[in-house]
Amino acid sequence: MNRPATLAAAPLILAALIFAAALSRVIPHPPNFSPIEAVALFGGAYFIPRGWALVVPLLAMFASDLVLGLVNGGIYWSYFASAGYLMVYACIALSTLLGFGLRGKVSGGRVLGYSLAGSVLFFLVTNFGTWLGGALYPQTGAGLAAAYIAGIPFFQWTVAGTLFYSALLFGGFELLRNRHPALRAQTA
């Protein structure tokens, strides 16, 4: 049985969109305005094999981290040894699992809701990690509150970036699916 070329290429198209979004982190942007949550949600929503849904966003973000390390040098390389690095990657995995809830049910309203939930998840987990793994805040309830309060100015950019990249990925892929109906059969 011959499958249409577009059908066979669907996973490659999904991966290419995710890698392109992840590599956009190299372009100058406001702090926390990034595709991190969007690529995870997108992968979770569309990759049929759940393993690919988890692996592709993680690999794409790792590739973009390597490029950022090469571009920015020493201070960025130290990021790889931090607890914050692990927290960000945990958020990617958790947001991919969250994206499974979009499978077969992608709509503008649902993508908006899941994007906001992913942004809140990222804020809660990474600021907790900053408090837990660093010396910046005392290991007390007041220290944890201070870590969350300090993260509030960055949260607006997290939300804006997640919404922007979600619209770009989900909207762009929907346009591709409309032009190439074979993509509908390959994705959840």
Side-chain angles (χ1 to χ4, degrees):
M1 175 164 123
N2 289 333
R3 295 171 22 174
T6 308
L7 181 61
L12 295 174
I13 292 168
L14 293 172
L17 290 170
I18 288 171
F19 270 83
L23 289 171
S24 74
R25 295 172 65 211
V26 177
I27 301 167
H29 58 275
N32 284 32
F33 186 92
S34 77
I36 293 173
E37 297 305 306
V39 298
L41 291 170
F42 183 72
Y46 285 117
F47 271 109
I48 290 175
R50 291 178 186 253
W52 283 87
L54 283 163
V55 169
V56 171
L58 288 167
L59 285 175
M61 295 309 292
F62 184 72
S64 69
D65 278 334
L66 289 177
V67 171
L68 285 167
L70 292 171
V71 170
N72 295 322
I75 193 154
Y76 202 83
W77 290 119
S78 65
Y79 163 70
F80 284 105
S82 71
Y85 169 78
L86 296 175
M87 291 297 188
V88 169
Y89 280 73
C91 284
I92 295 167
L94 290 171
S95 292
T96 300
L97 297 176
L98 186 64
F100 290 164
L102 287 168
R103 288 173 171 249
K105 301 179 233 166
V106 172
S107 69
R110 289 179 66 81
V111 170
L112 173 65
Y114 278 71
S115 295
L116 293 173
S119 295
V120 169
L121 173 73
F122 186 84
F123 175 81
L124 293 173
V125 170
T126 58
N127 283 292
F128 180 79
T130 298
W131 169 77
L132 184 64
L136 192 57
Y137 302 101
Q139 301 294 298
T140 63
L144 179 59
Y148 282 120
I149 290 168
I152 291 172
F154 300 99
F155 181 62
Q156 67 181 343
W157 293 112
T158 300
V159 171
T162 302
L163 292 175
F164 173 80
Y165 283 102
S166 289
L168 197 64
L169 288 167
F170 284 93
F173 190 63
E174 190 58 34
L175 290 174
L176 282 173
R177 288 173 60 161
N178 286 336
R179 291 194 69 163
H180 304 283
L183 288 173
R184 290 188 207 134
Q186 177 64 24
T187 54

